[in-house]
Amino acid sequence: MIKPSGRDVFKLLLTLRHQSRPLLAACSTNHIQAFNARYSSGDVESRKHELSEKKLTKRFVDWRRVRVKAGDGGNGSISLRRAAFEEFGGPDGGDGGNGGHILLQADRRTKSLGAVRPHYKAEHGHPGAKNNSSGKNGAHTIVKVPVGTVVKDDKVTVVDLESEGDQFVIARGGQGGRGNKSFATPSNRTPRIAGRGTPGEESLVSLELKIMAHAGLIGFPNAGKSTLLRALSRARPAVAAYPFTTLNPHVGMVEYDDLEQVAVADLPGLIRGAHLNRGLGHSFLRHIERCSCLLYVLDLSAKEPWTQLYDLQYELEQYKEGLSQRPHAILANKIDLPEAEEKLALLRENVQLPIIVISAHYLTNIAHLKVHLRELYDEDMKGRLKPVVKQGKRIL
């Protein structure tokens, strides 16, 4: 058997390499074409399933009970200086470090309390050391919460984080103990005592999230609030052809030609007796407190639509006095139904207020609703802007 030389082996490998190039190129081209065909924009849209209301509820958490424990202060050190040719070195024990705080910080990128853990513990301060070395302070623990979070201690409101970047120290760290150098006196130049670090604060608090929006959609279940929010904005709350109610609020931004944006919240449907905390009454009603104006969504498929308005106003007034008197508009939804015209006539007879007739499903009169919503928003912003006097000039 003749053994091939190294030159022959090299030529064989070079030949195989040139012959395999077209095959590899063809395989690569086929893979790229298959990838593009599978992940084209149309296929992605068709395969992209919207989350169900149950899955959205798992992602959105608007209440948490949190136990926090700040860091303890480090103990002071007991040490006597020892050095060559130094007979009386004296005390040189350093102070202990302070314990870390636990802070809450409002962050607009955080949308839910789901990421907040039930327990938080800050770092303890380090003890002091010899040579007058103070202990290291414990690191602070910063917990990011959504803007609009209310901190309560035993049902008493402690703080309201309503602006971006607001911080609140929920538990303060303990103070570090003093070293034995701090205890030196003329009569006791070598004290052998040191201070202990004080323990950090510990508390159990409740965090409640109140959705912050300019306008809130108020109505009974299946009135079409989620469909209306989808018509007004790019928000995509869950909707279906069968009756069900939204379990968590959704916020959408209504955009205008002058680049102004108005936040509209789709609040979960109320039921009669919500002010008595029936169902999830209080957890739904507390989101309405943040809304500057209210949009009452009435269902024209109901037997007596005007009673819905009276019941909604009653529930809001019983929950908080004056809540139903905020700037509002009345929306008669589902005008596309056959019996809607007759119900609308009866509604106008029993409600002596302007009514905006819409169909959220077919986008009927949505443009008029956006104009009226902008008027409510501008009126509210005028009341919030305060004139500032500067060098004899009045500047808004």
Side-chain angles (χ1 to χ4, degrees):
M1 182 177 180
I2 301 174
K3 184 177 180 180
S5 62
R7 189 172 182 177
D8 296 335
V9 173
F10 178 75
K11 287 183 178 181
L12 179 62
L13 292 176
L14 191 61
T15 304
L16 292 175
R17 179 183 177 184
H18 285 289
Q19 291 178 354
S20 62
R21 277 184 178 179
L23 180 61
L24 292 175
C27 293
S28 301
T29 304
N30 293 336
H31 284 330
I32 292 174
Q33 292 176 354
F35 180 85
N36 292 335
R38 182 178 181 182
Y39 294 99
S40 60
S41 59
D43 292 343
V44 170
E45 291 296 332
S46 62
R47 292 184 292 104
K48 183 179 179 181
H49 300 288
E50 295 183 354
L51 293 176
S52 64
E53 188 64 27
K54 185 176 180 180
K55 292 183 179 180
L56 288 172
T57 304
K58 291 181 179 180
R59 294 190 176 190
F60 183 86
V61 179
D62 59 357
W63 183 85
R64 277 282 197 220
R65 179 170 290 174
V66 183
R67 183 177 297 277
V68 293
K69 174 65 172 68
D72 299 336
N75 296 329
S77 174
I78 301 176
S79 176
L80 298 177
R81 178 175 173 79
R82 299 179 184 275
F85 310 107
E86 196 170 337
E87 184 177 0
F88 303 103
D92 65 346
D95 300 336
N98 299 325
H101 305 327
I102 296 182
L103 303 92
L104 297 178
Q105 180 177 345
D107 180 29
R108 62 181 177 84
R109 289 178 292 272
T110 305
K111 304 301 182 182
S112 170
L113 295 175
V116 178
R117 302 196 305 267
H119 299 280
Y120 283 95
K121 190 174 182 181
E123 184 181 359
H124 298 312
H126 293 208
K130 61 181 181 179
N131 296 329
N132 297 320
S133 299
S134 299
K136 179 183 177 181
N137 294 332
H140 301 319
T141 299
I142 300 178
V143 182
K144 292 186 177 181
V145 296
V147 176
T149 301
V150 178
V151 183
K152 291 187 177 181
D153 186 3
D154 196 16
K155 298 183 179 181
V156 178
T157 301
V158 179
V159 68
D160 187 355
L161 304 175
E162 57 182 7
S163 300
E164 166 73 13
D166 286 352
Q167 288 188 343
F168 175 71
V169 181
I170 193 172
R172 294 187 174 275
Q175 186 176 2
R178 295 186 298 168
N180 65 335
K181 182 180 179 180
S182 302
F183 293 92
T185 62
S187 59
N188 185 10
R189 298 184 178 181
T190 57
R192 287 173 171 79
I193 58 174
R196 289 183 176 274
T198 59
E201 296 178 351
E202 183 177 5
S203 61
L204 180 64
V205 297
S206 298
L207 304 181
E208 293 183 1
L209 173 59
K210 296 182 179 180
I211 293 297
M212 302 187 69
H214 300 112
L217 300 177
I218 313 298
F220 282 98
N222 304 312
K225 301 182 297 298
S226 299
T227 306
L228 179 57
L229 183 63
R230 294 168 70 104
L232 289 171
S233 67
R234 296 182 180 179
R236 289 296 175 263
V239 295
Y242 52 86
F244 77 100
T245 183
T246 302
L247 299 179
N248 56 274
H250 301 270
V251 179
M253 303 301 296
V254 182
E255 300 178 353
Y256 292 90
D257 294 337
D258 59 351
L259 304 182
E260 189 66 68
Q261 293 182 337
V262 179
V264 179
D266 170 24
L267 303 175
L270 298 178
I271 62 173
R272 292 175 177 85
H275 69 280
L276 301 175
N277 205 20
R278 291 179 180 173
L280 297 175
H282 287 179
S283 62
F284 291 174
L285 286 167
R286 68 165 174 260
H287 295 292
I288 305 177
E289 297 183 52
R290 298 283 189 182
C291 300
S292 303
C293 58
L294 308 177
L295 301 178
Y296 293 103
V297 183
L298 306 184
D299 186 0
L300 289 179
S301 65
K303 186 177 181 180
E304 297 179 344
W306 57 89
T307 59
Q308 294 185 352
L309 177 62
Y310 301 150
D311 292 338
L312 291 172
Q313 291 179 336
Y314 175 77
E315 294 296 335
L316 297 184
E317 201 65 26
Q318 292 298 313
Y319 176 73
K320 185 177 181 180
E321 186 177 356
L323 186 59
S324 64
Q325 302 303 320
R326 293 184 179 180
H328 59 272
I330 301 175
L331 312 180
N333 192 22
K334 303 182 182 180
I335 191 59
D336 54 290
L337 298 180
E339 68 276 10
E341 293 293 343
E342 181 182 354
K343 299 289 181 63
L344 179 60
L346 296 175
L347 178 62
R348 294 186 187 277
E349 293 178 3
N350 291 271
V351 177
Q352 305 302 322
L353 292 172
I355 300 175
I356 302 177
V357 182
I358 62 171
S359 173
H361 182 69
Y362 291 101
L363 305 181
T364 304
N365 222 10
I366 295 299
H368 177 61
L369 174 59
K370 288 185 177 181
V371 173
H372 188 72
L373 177 62
R374 180 60 186 272
E375 293 175 355
L376 293 175
Y377 171 76
D378 292 340
E379 193 67 26
D380 178 65
M381 294 305 295
K382 286 182 181 180
R384 295 189 181 188
L385 292 176
K386 297 180 180 180
V388 179
V389 178
K390 183 177 180 181
Q391 295 180 356
K393 297 181 181 180
R394 184 175 178 178
I395 305 174
L396 287 180

